[in-house]
Amino acid sequence: MSPGGGGPGPTRRLGPARSAPLRLCYSTPEGELRVAPPGWGALGRSGDRLTTAGAWVPLPPGSTVARLPGRAAVGRRDVRGGGDGDPGRIEALPRTQGVAVAAILPVGHLRLLLPAHGPSDAGGPALPLFGYTALADRAGELVVAAMRTDRFEWWRPERFSRRDLPAAVAAAEAALPGNPVIAQLRTCALTHNCYTAQNTFHRRYEAALPTSAACNADCLGCLSLQTDSGATTPQPRIARAPGADQLLAVAAYHLEASPRGMVSFGQGCEGEPLLRTEELLPVVRAIRARFPDATVHLNSNGSRPDDCVRLADAGLNSARISVFSFTPGLFAAYYRPRGYTIDDVCQSARRLHDRGVQVAINLLTFPGVTDAPGEVARTLTALGAVEADQVQLRTLNVDPLWLLGRLPRLEPGIGLGRMVTQLRQELPRLRLGNFTRPVAATAVPAAVTP
Ligand code: SF4
């Protein structure tokens, strides 16, 4: 198991009854994954509520089971022997037996419930930034509270064999000696297992162009810089902003091999690319002139609408704007933005759409917050108003209890699964998924739309 070490693989039996009880799982002090004795039912968390409501599916291939050090496993104790339907009593498994566990899902899946666990009894730093998901045993099979949201071929984990990666990295270093973008992506690809960085070396699909060392926000869940949680970041931020020539050289290296591929500013290992608009404008113009079929993409916080329009006029044809909440107070609590508001973010998305740019909203989901009734209503209104092409339903990677302690309390969530149903019903033209598609349709090999 990770981060507490390797545990046994799940015991699999074919066709477990969907109605079988969900049993609590935990990790022994030695890091072994165990199922609690009969009478301990599993729970998940939605905001402040402990529940099992929603879909539970078999643990997807490519998942990791993580041990949550110092956090008690919390379940429902069936004190009357009434099985899974018994309301029972919520209890923490004795710490002498072990600690809580969670699943970390591969991309393309949406977490529906957080793991149920107690606070850190050591009072230590927040958990590392991963998408902790409720995990249970059902009739001998490990299951998670999750749903599949995208199957785009470019991102299938089995396509990312590391066998050829060192040679591909060496080839890029030989072709672009001393390029700081390549140096950053080397660490991302080899140490942090970033698929976008690996693509850059394999010269296929979507390449990463980390651009900015600075940001005008201080997100509670920022993957590249944590200012006050004490959590380790999975993708440390690029130390110095690369120059325009260096960015263009990497883009050309990628697109010469994949002229209909994608190059993307705004990665997990950097700050906000819009803070470097002046340097990006000549890069975007040069890419567009030389590679007319390329998708030139921006992942952004959407803080500067005018800069978005200038980039679109230079040749940007795709953008993904991340949003935790469309509610001003919740937006401010999460982003801690400097000099912009959610209105600027919506304006960026709308003006990019009006310029003919493919626009995706990257909705950073968190059970019990994103699906609170008021949040659902505001999200539906905002997505309709900006006329986004796609909403990407992403699991927010952060210590659940640490985040909840920093947000205002909300009404109980309706369930992310029900929210997805509402999105489909009320915005039928909006595509749901997890991944950005290239703009040139011919560049999509065997794409599968859910
Ligand atoms: S906007 Fe992006 S780079 Fe900036 S703090 Fe938030 S997550 Fe980090």
Side-chain angles (χ1 to χ4, degrees):
M1 273 184 290
S2 168
T11 305
R12 298 201 178 276
R13 289 182 203 155
L14 290 177
R18 295 230 155 190
S19 58
L22 295 166
R23 290 195 30 209
L24 178 69
C25 293
Y26 68 97
S27 164
T28 67
E30 295 75 37
E32 298 279 312
L33 180 63
R34 291 270 189 273
V35 180
W40 280 94
L43 286 168
R45 174 182 287 278
S46 171
D48 290 334
R49 279 188 314 134
L50 297 179
T51 176
T52 55
W56 292 73
V57 298
L59 183 73
S63 301
T64 301
V65 176
R67 177 173 173 265
L68 307 184
R71 279 117 179 126
V74 173
R76 188 176 52 216
R77 191 78 191 275
D78 177 2
V79 287
R80 290 173 298 171
D84 195 48
D86 192 314
R89 194 169 65 199
I90 291 173
E91 273 188 39
L93 192 77
R95 291 279 283 102
T96 46
Q97 275 185 257
V99 294
V101 291
I104 298 168
L105 305 175
V107 288
H109 295 80
L110 175 65
R111 167 185 64 193
L112 300 180
L113 290 176
L114 305 156
H117 63 78
S120 166
D121 53 18
L127 292 167
L129 285 96
F130 293 106
Y132 301 102
T133 302
L135 171 80
D137 174 276
R138 186 170 60 193
E141 182 177 44
L142 290 177
V143 291
V144 287
M147 63 186 287
R148 186 84 191 236
T149 47
D150 208 334
R151 297 175 189 273
F152 187 35
E153 285 290 313
W154 278 15
W155 298 102
R156 288 169 67 112
E158 57 269 31
R159 288 179 178 250
F160 291 86
S161 149
R162 293 174 63 98
R163 207 176 45 243
D164 303 334
L165 188 58
V169 171
E173 288 176 327
L176 301 169
N179 189 304
V181 180
I182 292 295
Q184 171 78 2
L185 295 181
R186 178 187 214 283
T187 307
C188 297
L190 294 175
T191 306
H192 303 301
N193 203 30
C194 170
Y195 285 176
T196 323
Q198 292 176 13
N199 282 338
T200 316
F201 293 113
H202 288 309
R203 307 175 81 186
R204 64 180 192 182
Y205 313 155
E206 178 178 352
L209 294 178
T211 298
S212 177
C215 190
N216 51 357
D218 181 14
C219 293
L220 296 174
C222 181
L223 295 177
S224 65
L225 187 66
Q226 285 287 299
T227 56
D228 55 0
S229 73
T232 50
T233 49
Q235 295 170 293
R237 190 174 288 187
I238 193 166
R240 281 204 3 243
D245 289 350
Q246 293 159 332
L247 287 164
L248 183 55
V250 177
Y253 181 73
H254 181 72
L255 293 172
E256 277 161 7
S258 296
R260 292 181 171 179
M262 286 176 72
V263 288
S264 295
F265 308 109
Q267 298 298 319
C269 64
E270 63 168 304
E272 172 50 45
L274 288 176
L275 270 55
R276 300 209 65 218
T277 300
E278 298 309 326
E279 292 81 8
L280 293 190
L281 284 168
V283 178
V284 172
R285 278 190 208 105
I287 297 171
R288 180 55 63 223
R290 201 164 146 199
F291 302 99
D293 293 332
T295 298
V296 185
H297 177 79
L298 172 75
N299 295 309
S300 171
N301 64 18
S303 53
R304 299 184 170 183
D306 291 343
D307 285 352
C308 287
V309 170
R310 293 169 71 205
L311 287 167
D313 291 346
L316 187 91
N317 58 351
S318 177
R320 187 184 73 176
I321 294 180
S322 290
V323 178
F324 174 68
S325 167
F326 289 96
T327 306
L330 204 47
F331 172 87
Y334 177 81
Y335 281 90
R336 302 185 284 191
R338 290 186 288 277
Y340 74 100
T341 69
I342 184 63
D343 289 341
D344 295 302
V345 176
C346 291
Q347 209 190 113
S348 291
R350 179 71 222 194
R351 290 174 69 187
L352 283 165
H353 169 82
D354 291 345
R355 282 287 200 282
V357 172
Q358 162 180 275
V359 175
I361 298 296
N362 189 36
L363 192 64
L364 301 169
T365 65
F366 191 84
V369 174
T370 313
D371 57 330
E375 287 300 297
V376 175
R378 276 182 283 275
T379 298
L380 282 164
T381 302
L383 290 175
V386 302
E387 289 195 61
D389 299 283
Q390 185 195 37
V391 62
Q392 296 186 13
L393 298 161
R394 292 289 180 115
T395 290
L396 179 64
N397 293 348
V398 68
D399 182 323
L401 295 186
W402 183 85
L403 181 76
L404 283 169
R406 280 150 187 82
L407 298 179
R409 295 275 84 84
L410 301 173
E411 331 114 276
I414 62 169
L416 284 168
R418 280 183 63 196
M419 177 182 167
V420 168
T421 302
Q422 278 197 29
L423 284 171
R424 287 203 168 107
Q425 285 172 347
E426 297 188 30
L427 298 170
R429 292 174 57 193
L430 180 71
R431 293 199 309 268
L432 304 183
N434 254 194
F435 309 118
T436 304
R437 267 62 174 174
V439 173
T442 49
V444 185
V448 179
T449 306

XYZ file of all heavy atoms in Angstrom, residues 226-286:
448
model
N 2.349 24.240 -1.679
C 1.491 24.272 -0.497
C 2.110 25.253 0.487
O 3.212 25.022 1.009
C 1.386 22.882 0.124
C 0.480 21.940 -0.654
C -0.992 22.292 -0.491
O -1.536 22.271 0.605
N -1.640 22.634 -1.605
N 1.426 26.346 0.750
C 2.031 27.389 1.580
C 1.779 27.188 3.069
O 2.523 27.706 3.893
C 1.497 28.777 1.165
O 0.072 28.764 1.239
C 1.945 29.138 -0.235
N 0.716 26.438 3.446
C 0.436 26.350 4.877
C -0.091 25.011 5.370
O -0.426 24.881 6.541
C -0.547 27.454 5.285
C -1.824 27.436 4.461
O -1.953 26.565 3.580
O -2.686 28.293 4.684
N -0.158 23.978 4.528
C -0.712 22.695 5.000
C 0.369 21.778 5.559
O 0.063 20.855 6.303
C -1.419 21.975 3.857
O -0.475 21.453 2.939
N 1.611 21.988 5.157
C 2.677 21.057 5.523
C 2.686 19.805 4.667
O 3.554 18.949 4.831
N 1.710 19.668 3.735
C 1.647 18.477 2.875
C 2.737 18.542 1.810
O 3.078 19.625 1.317
C 0.275 18.386 2.203
N 3.239 17.356 1.443
C 4.198 17.327 0.342
C 3.434 17.456 -0.971
O 2.316 16.957 -1.109
C 4.982 16.000 0.329
O 4.038 14.926 0.400
C 5.928 15.907 1.510
N 4.040 18.140 -1.923
C 3.374 18.341 -3.210
C 3.838 17.265 -4.188
O 5.012 16.940 -4.243
C 3.718 19.732 -3.790
O 5.128 19.892 -3.734
C 3.054 20.826 -3.001
N 2.893 16.705 -4.967
C 3.274 15.637 -5.887
C 4.008 16.129 -7.128
O 4.670 15.354 -7.803
C 1.927 15.012 -6.273
C 0.930 16.080 -6.049
C 1.450 16.955 -4.963
N 3.887 17.417 -7.442
C 4.513 17.946 -8.663
C 5.178 19.285 -8.344
O 4.599 20.342 -8.635
C 3.458 18.133 -9.757
C 2.843 16.815 -10.208
C 1.643 17.024 -11.102
O 0.608 17.522 -10.676
N 1.784 16.667 -12.346
N 6.364 19.263 -7.728
C 6.978 20.536 -7.310
C 7.097 21.545 -8.459
O 7.379 21.184 -9.592
C 8.357 20.100 -6.804
C 8.173 18.669 -6.428
C 7.161 18.106 -7.377
N 6.865 22.804 -8.109
C 6.760 23.869 -9.110
C 8.108 24.174 -9.778
O 9.153 24.139 -9.121
C 6.218 25.131 -8.430
C 5.850 26.217 -9.411
C 5.188 27.380 -8.706
N 3.840 27.065 -8.265
C 3.000 27.950 -7.735
N 3.393 29.212 -7.593
N 1.802 27.598 -7.361
N 8.044 24.474 -11.055
C 9.240 24.851 -11.820
C 9.899 26.057 -11.128
O 9.213 26.987 -10.694
C 8.865 25.139 -13.299
C 10.110 25.228 -14.166
C 7.992 26.382 -13.431
C 9.781 25.168 -15.676
N 11.231 26.000 -10.991
C 11.922 27.014 -10.188
C 12.037 28.349 -10.918
O 11.908 29.416 -10.308
C 13.309 26.505 -9.801
N 12.286 28.291 -12.233
C 12.450 29.540 -12.998
C 11.657 29.461 -14.282
O 11.615 28.414 -14.930
C 13.925 29.747 -13.333
C 14.698 30.292 -12.157
C 15.985 31.052 -12.499
N 16.298 31.226 -13.893
C 17.397 30.709 -14.456
N 18.223 29.981 -13.763
N 17.659 30.951 -15.720
N 11.044 30.566 -14.638
C 10.223 30.584 -15.846
C 11.123 30.465 -17.076
O 12.091 31.217 -17.215
C 9.427 31.878 -15.910
N 10.825 29.526 -17.983
C 11.637 29.416 -19.199
C 11.367 30.568 -20.163
O 10.317 31.216 -20.100
C 11.193 28.080 -19.805
C 9.880 27.772 -19.190
C 9.772 28.518 -17.912
N 12.320 30.813 -21.068
C 12.145 31.872 -22.057
C 11.273 31.409 -23.217
O 11.037 30.207 -23.411
N 10.809 32.398 -24.001
C 9.931 32.093 -25.132
C 10.623 31.150 -26.122
O 10.000 30.199 -26.631
C 9.520 33.398 -25.818
N 11.903 31.380 -26.403
C 12.609 30.522 -27.371
C 12.685 29.081 -26.877
O 12.570 28.130 -27.669
C 14.039 31.031 -27.598
C 14.037 32.338 -28.381
O 12.958 32.717 -28.881
O 15.108 32.964 -28.472
N 12.861 28.930 -25.567
C 12.973 27.579 -25.007
C 11.630 26.850 -25.063
O 11.567 25.659 -25.370
C 13.494 27.672 -23.567
C 14.931 28.189 -23.539
C 15.345 28.777 -22.206
O 14.506 29.277 -21.452
N 16.642 28.722 -21.921
N 10.550 27.590 -24.807
C 9.217 26.985 -24.917
C 8.915 26.585 -26.357
O 8.416 25.491 -26.634
C 8.157 27.980 -24.420
C 8.104 28.187 -22.907
C 7.330 29.453 -22.568
C 7.474 26.976 -22.220
N 9.248 27.485 -27.276
C 8.971 27.216 -28.689
C 9.773 26.007 -29.173
O 9.271 25.180 -29.948
C 9.294 28.459 -29.527
C 8.999 28.353 -31.021
C 7.546 27.961 -31.282
C 9.323 29.673 -31.723
N 11.010 25.882 -28.713
C 11.846 24.754 -29.148
C 11.215 23.424 -28.727
O 11.193 22.463 -29.507
C 13.248 24.900 -28.558
N 10.679 23.370 -27.510
C 10.059 22.111 -27.048
C 8.759 21.852 -27.816
O 8.478 20.717 -28.217
C 9.811 22.155 -25.530
C 9.094 20.892 -25.060
C 11.135 22.313 -24.784
N 7.980 22.904 -28.042
C 6.736 22.738 -28.809
C 7.041 22.202 -30.206
O 6.373 21.277 -30.700
C 5.996 24.071 -28.896
N 8.062 22.770 -30.847
C 8.406 22.331 -32.209
C 8.915 20.890 -32.201
O 8.589 20.094 -33.092
C 9.457 23.270 -32.803
N 9.697 20.540 -31.197
C 10.210 19.161 -31.078
C 9.040 18.174 -31.034
O 9.053 17.130 -31.682
C 11.048 19.058 -29.809
C 11.663 17.700 -29.566
C 12.734 17.248 -30.327
C 11.162 16.864 -28.556
C 13.296 15.987 -30.096
C 11.714 15.616 -28.321
C 12.784 15.177 -29.093
O 13.340 13.948 -28.870
N 8.005 18.532 -30.292
C 6.830 17.653 -30.167
C 6.020 17.630 -31.463
O 5.678 16.562 -31.978
C 5.959 18.148 -29.014
C 4.741 17.322 -28.773
N 4.783 16.066 -28.225
C 3.427 17.565 -29.019
C 3.572 15.569 -28.132
N 2.728 16.456 -28.610
N 5.734 18.797 -31.998
C 4.791 18.872 -33.122
C 5.417 18.437 -34.448
O 4.694 18.059 -35.370
C 4.211 20.285 -33.218
C 3.315 20.675 -32.033
C 2.936 22.151 -32.093
C 2.046 19.817 -31.990
N 6.745 18.490 -34.556
C 7.370 17.950 -35.779
C 7.050 16.456 -35.909
O 6.887 15.948 -37.013
C 8.887 18.155 -35.728
C 9.291 19.556 -36.170
C 10.692 19.916 -35.703
O 11.392 19.034 -35.147
O 11.071 21.092 -35.875
N 6.955 15.772 -34.780
C 6.623 14.341 -34.805
C 5.111 14.111 -34.813
O 4.638 13.095 -35.322
C 7.250 13.643 -33.603
N 4.330 15.035 -34.229
C 2.864 14.900 -34.141
C 2.221 16.222 -34.534
O 1.745 16.973 -33.677
C 2.433 14.555 -32.707
O 2.908 13.320 -32.318
N 2.197 16.541 -35.832
C 1.729 17.885 -36.237
C 0.272 18.168 -35.874
O -0.134 19.323 -35.836
C 1.941 17.917 -37.750
C 2.363 16.553 -38.155
C 2.698 15.745 -36.951
N -0.505 17.117 -35.611
C -1.891 17.327 -35.183
C -2.068 17.057 -33.700
O -3.188 16.879 -33.223
C -2.834 16.448 -35.995
C -2.881 16.886 -37.443
C -3.821 16.060 -38.258
N -3.977 16.650 -39.569
C -4.724 16.132 -40.522
N -5.381 15.015 -40.308
N -4.826 16.734 -41.692
N -0.977 17.030 -32.986
C -1.032 16.813 -31.542
C -1.341 18.098 -30.796
O -1.738 19.114 -31.384
N -1.152 18.031 -29.493
C -1.451 19.178 -28.619
C -0.195 19.623 -27.896
O 0.629 18.792 -27.508
C -2.462 18.783 -27.529
C -3.865 18.627 -27.992
S -4.917 18.061 -26.626
C -4.998 19.532 -25.621
N -0.104 20.924 -27.684
C 0.883 21.461 -26.732
C 0.102 22.295 -25.721
O -0.785 23.069 -26.089
C 1.979 22.298 -27.425
C 2.931 21.407 -28.199
C 1.388 23.364 -28.333
N 0.427 22.115 -24.432
C -0.402 22.714 -23.375
C 0.420 23.518 -22.387
O 1.330 22.993 -21.739
C -1.139 21.618 -22.604
O -2.047 20.967 -23.446
N 0.068 24.788 -22.271
C 0.601 25.633 -21.199
C -0.262 25.404 -19.955
O -1.468 25.215 -20.061
C 0.516 27.118 -21.579
C 1.112 27.443 -22.916
C 0.307 27.787 -23.992
C 2.484 27.417 -23.107
C 0.850 28.093 -25.231
C 3.031 27.712 -24.341
C 2.214 28.054 -25.406
N 0.364 25.499 -18.779
C -0.420 25.362 -17.561
C -0.450 23.924 -17.090
O -1.401 23.199 -17.365
N 0.583 23.516 -16.395
C 0.688 22.125 -15.928
C 0.606 22.068 -14.410
O 0.670 23.091 -13.730
C 2.012 21.532 -16.429
C 2.104 21.474 -17.940
C 1.031 20.576 -18.558
O 0.728 19.505 -18.033
N 0.438 21.023 -19.659
N 0.528 20.845 -13.888
C 0.478 20.682 -12.436
C 1.748 21.146 -11.742
O 1.747 21.424 -10.548
N 2.852 21.249 -12.490
C 4.154 21.578 -11.893
C 4.498 23.054 -12.069
O 5.682 23.401 -12.089
C 5.245 20.726 -12.527
S 5.456 21.050 -14.285
N 3.511 23.898 -12.214
C 3.834 25.319 -12.392
C 2.786 26.197 -11.724
O 1.869 25.716 -11.048
C 3.944 25.645 -13.877
C 2.659 25.457 -14.666
C 2.737 26.073 -16.056
O 3.020 27.279 -16.161
O 2.510 25.338 -17.031
N 2.943 27.532 -11.908
C 1.975 28.486 -11.403
C 0.942 28.784 -12.485
O 0.459 27.863 -13.162
N 0.604 30.060 -12.680
C -0.455 30.442 -13.618
C 0.149 30.991 -14.920
O 0.815 32.036 -14.897
C -1.361 31.495 -12.963
C -2.377 32.112 -13.891
C -3.189 31.082 -14.691
O -3.643 30.089 -14.113
O -3.316 31.284 -15.925
N -0.100 30.323 -16.052
C 0.503 30.774 -17.312
C 0.048 32.157 -17.772
O 0.788 32.836 -18.499
C 0.111 29.691 -18.316
C -0.979 28.916 -17.677
C -0.827 29.053 -16.209
N -1.148 32.595 -17.356
C -1.587 33.932 -17.807
C -0.678 35.039 -17.265
O -0.678 36.142 -17.800
C -3.035 34.194 -17.384
C -4.116 33.417 -18.146
C -5.481 33.697 -17.552
C -4.097 33.745 -19.641
N 0.075 34.734 -16.208
C 1.016 35.740 -15.706
C 2.190 35.923 -16.663
O 3.022 36.814 -16.466
C 1.541 35.342 -14.314
C 0.726 35.859 -13.122
C -0.727 35.472 -13.180
C 1.329 35.389 -11.798
N 2.267 35.098 -17.698
C 3.358 35.208 -18.675
C 2.825 35.447 -20.085
O 3.426 35.034 -21.090
C 4.208 33.952 -18.640
C 4.824 33.720 -17.258
C 6.125 32.990 -17.334
N 7.155 33.759 -18.009
C 8.052 33.219 -18.836
N 8.027 31.940 -19.108
N 8.971 33.991 -19.417
N 1.711 36.123 -20.171
C 1.076 36.323 -21.474
C 2.023 36.984 -22.473
O 2.061 36.583 -23.650
C -0.205 37.168 -21.309
O -1.097 36.462 -20.448
C -0.892 37.407 -22.633
N 2.783 37.985 -22.041
C 3.653 38.689 -22.997
C 4.642 37.723 -23.658
O 4.912 37.827 -24.853
C 4.421 39.829 -22.308
C 3.536 40.923 -21.732
C 2.509 41.482 -22.733
O 2.823 41.554 -23.935
O 1.384 41.813 -22.306
N 5.193 36.790 -22.878
C 6.144 35.825 -23.447
C 5.417 34.764 -24.279
O 5.968 34.242 -25.249
C 6.931 35.125 -22.334
C 7.890 36.019 -21.574
C 7.197 36.855 -20.498
O 5.990 36.627 -20.243
O 7.862 37.753 -19.942
N 4.182 34.439 -23.888
C 3.458 33.371 -24.596
C 2.943 33.827 -25.965
O 2.825 33.007 -26.887
C 2.278 32.871 -23.759
C 2.627 32.138 -22.469
C 1.376 31.482 -21.877
C 3.687 31.082 -22.720
N 2.637 35.106 -26.097
C 2.034 35.568 -27.365
C 2.907 35.221 -28.579
O 2.403 34.612 -29.541
C 1.758 37.074 -27.298
C 0.530 37.449 -26.447
C 0.490 38.961 -26.190
C -0.761 37.004 -27.133
N 4.219 35.551 -28.599
C 5.007 35.170 -29.780
C 5.156 33.667 -29.943
O 5.249 33.170 -31.079
C 6.375 35.838 -29.525
C 6.422 36.121 -28.059
C 5.007 36.338 -27.635
N 5.126 32.925 -28.830
C 5.243 31.464 -28.922
C 3.991 30.904 -29.611
O 4.080 30.080 -30.531
C 5.406 30.844 -27.515
C 5.485 29.328 -27.600
C 6.647 31.403 -26.820
N 2.820 31.375 -29.183
C 1.568 30.880 -29.771
C 1.510 31.249 -31.261
O 1.160 30.410 -32.109
C 0.350 31.457 -29.010
C -0.952 31.110 -29.718
C 0.325 30.934 -27.577
N 1.887 32.483 -31.584
C 1.857 32.896 -33.012
C 2.763 32.006 -33.851
O 2.400 31.575 -34.952
C 2.327 34.355 -33.137
C 1.230 35.352 -32.848
C 1.653 36.776 -33.209
N 0.933 37.695 -32.344
C 1.453 38.343 -31.312
N 2.745 38.237 -31.029
N 0.708 39.131 -30.579
N 3.968 31.746 -33.338
C 4.934 30.947 -34.107
C 4.442 29.508 -34.277
O 4.564 28.922 -35.358
C 6.292 30.967 -33.411
